[in-house]
Amino acid sequence: MLKAKVIVKLKDTILDPQGKTIHHALETLGYKGIEKLRSGKFFEIYLNTDDKEKAKELVDEICKKILTNPVTEEYYFTIE
Amino acid sequence: MLKAKVIVKLKDTILDPQGKTIHHALETLGYKGIEKLRSGKFFEIYLNTDDKEKAKELVDEICKKILTNPVTEEYYFTIE
């Protein structure tokens, strides 16, 4: 069984109100020294295969078609 | 400037309805071969410091106190 770790984040040019809110909250609570905070999503996908190439293709397709919005988001993943 | 990449995920013993829903949706759409899917959160934190040790301490404290619920979630991060 292989495990894919997928990170989905907003493209750098896209506003991130959630990240901004957390950043502001941290400053209000006294945590200085943070320049920027961006939020995103994380998925762990356990796959019924030991073929790394096939796993890579499947996860890439799922990311492209289902897990992300290609207009506003980008993704990367590792398989282990 | 250093950048921390934080991954927050539900502990393995905690139910993950969002992950289950995505998993089910993928199966309905014809994507077979997925054993399990778990969802989580991802944060990129840009820090105004070049001191890796200080950055590590700050990010660890923020994770423990703000970004995660230690009862249901676990986290790990890298700093680069």
Side-chain angles (χ1 to χ4, degrees):
Chain A
M1 191 163 73
L2 292 169
K3 183 163 88 171
K5 293 180 176 183
V6 182
I7 286 173
V8 180
K9 55 183 192 175
L10 290 164
K11 288 183 183 171
D12 282 340
T13 49
I14 305 288
L15 285 177
D16 175 16
Q18 187 187 354
K20 266 219 154 64
T21 304
I22 297 170
H23 184 184
H24 182 67
L26 287 170
E27 280 185 336
T28 308
L29 290 163
Y31 294 103
K32 306 296 178 200
I34 298 171
E35 174 71 29
K36 198 168 72 167
L37 190 151
R38 304 276 292 171
S39 66
K41 289 177 282 184
F42 173 72
F43 301 100
E44 250 176 10
I45 307 175
Y46 296 78
L47 300 152
N48 280 333
T49 175
D50 289 317
D51 182 335
K52 240 180 164 173
E53 273 311 304
K54 263 194 188 164
K56 216 173 141 182
E57 270 172 41
L58 176 64
V59 172
D60 197 53
E61 194 182 326
I62 290 172
C63 285
K64 254 195 207 106
K65 295 199 178 163
I66 318 288
L67 295 180
T68 71
N69 173 353
V71 179
T72 58
E73 294 174 323
E74 60 190 19
Y75 65 90
Y76 53 92
F77 62 86
T78 56
I79 287 178
E80 59 197 44
Chain B
M1 191 163 72
L2 293 169
K3 183 163 87 171
K5 293 180 177 183
V6 181
I7 285 173
V8 179
K9 55 183 192 176
L10 289 165
K11 288 182 183 172
D12 282 339
T13 48
I14 304 288
L15 285 177
D16 174 16
Q18 187 187 353
K20 268 219 154 62
T21 304
I22 297 170
H23 185 185
H24 182 68
L26 287 171
E27 280 185 336
T28 308
L29 290 164
Y31 293 103
K32 306 295 178 202
I34 297 171
E35 174 71 30
K36 197 168 73 166
L37 189 152
R38 305 274 295 171
S39 66
K41 289 177 283 182
F42 172 72
F43 301 101
E44 249 176 11
I45 307 175
Y46 296 78
L47 301 152
N48 280 332
T49 177
D50 289 318
D51 182 335
K52 238 179 166 174
E53 273 311 304
K54 263 193 188 164
K56 215 173 142 182
E57 270 172 41
L58 176 63
V59 172
D60 197 53
E61 193 181 326
I62 289 172
C63 285
K64 254 196 206 105
K65 295 199 177 163
I66 318 288
L67 295 180
T68 71
N69 174 352
V71 178
T72 57
E73 293 174 324
E74 60 191 18
Y75 65 90
Y76 53 92
F77 61 85
T78 56
I79 288 177
E80 57 197 46

